[in-house]
Amino acid sequence: MRLFFVFCISTSLTLLLLSCSEEQLVNPPKFSGTLANFSDIQAKVFSNYASNDCHSTGSKKGNLDLTESVSYSSLYNRPSSIYPQFKRVHPGKPNESVLMMFLRGDVSPQMPQNGSLPFDTIDSIESWIAKGALRN
């Protein structure tokens, strides 16, 4: 009886595992955030969090100005002054972009300094970089 019970349990587990499609296990979605464009990121993130105290024309911490008129050119394909081996935004490569490293807290200091952004906002910025960091 005990052997029959073990057989039934192992067969059930095997069938359960086989019922999952291979695609679900092998190809999870890369980015879960909504698709963002640069103007959304500027308005919702840079203008609200960064440009007032830390990265405005007057303060430019890390030699980075995120005011609306110059933020794109300050980020796109430009080397980081803190981590010069990386670009601030490396188009198509969010994992090699210092902006993502700061937002995720992978490097110090984490940005924004007064706390972290919501995960969906970080995912959205990651998607924008992965899609080429277009000025749209």
Side-chain angles (χ1 to χ4, degrees):
M1 181 73 167
R2 189 176 195 180
L3 189 58
F4 177 74
F5 179 74
V6 171
F7 173 77
C8 289
I9 295 294
S10 63
T11 303
S12 297
L13 286 174
T14 303
L15 289 174
L16 180 64
L17 290 174
L18 290 175
S19 68
C20 295
S21 76
E22 189 175 310
E23 185 175 306
Q24 289 173 324
L25 299 174
V26 176
N27 296 317
K30 250 185 158 176
F31 306 108
S32 60
T34 57
L35 294 178
N37 58 42
F38 183 73
S39 59
D40 286 341
I41 294 168
Q42 179 67 49
K44 296 174 185 172
V45 179
F46 300 152
S47 293
N48 285 329
Y49 289 93
S51 61
N52 294 336
D53 298 327
C54 299
H55 300 289
S56 63
T57 304
S59 63
K60 285 203 267 187
K61 290 185 181 176
N63 200 28
L64 176 61
D65 187 349
L66 292 176
T67 54
E68 190 170 356
S69 61
V70 296
S71 60
Y72 188 82
S73 61
S74 295
L75 291 168
Y76 186 86
N77 225 13
R78 299 290 304 262
S80 166
S81 59
I82 298 173
Y83 299 100
Q85 69 272 30
F86 296 106
K87 294 187 176 173
R88 290 175 172 159
V89 170
H90 193 141
K93 299 183 179 186
N95 291 331
E96 296 177 22
S97 299
V98 167
L99 176 62
M100 292 308 306
M101 295 175 194
F102 282 132
L103 294 176
R104 289 187 200 121
D106 296 340
V107 296
S108 184
Q110 181 172 356
M111 299 291 164
Q113 288 184 343
N114 58 353
S116 61
L117 296 173
F119 290 119
D120 60 340
T121 302
I122 294 171
D123 284 349
S124 187
I125 294 169
E126 184 175 26
S127 292
W128 168 71
I129 294 171
K131 296 190 181 305
L134 302 176
R135 186 177 200 161
N136 52 8

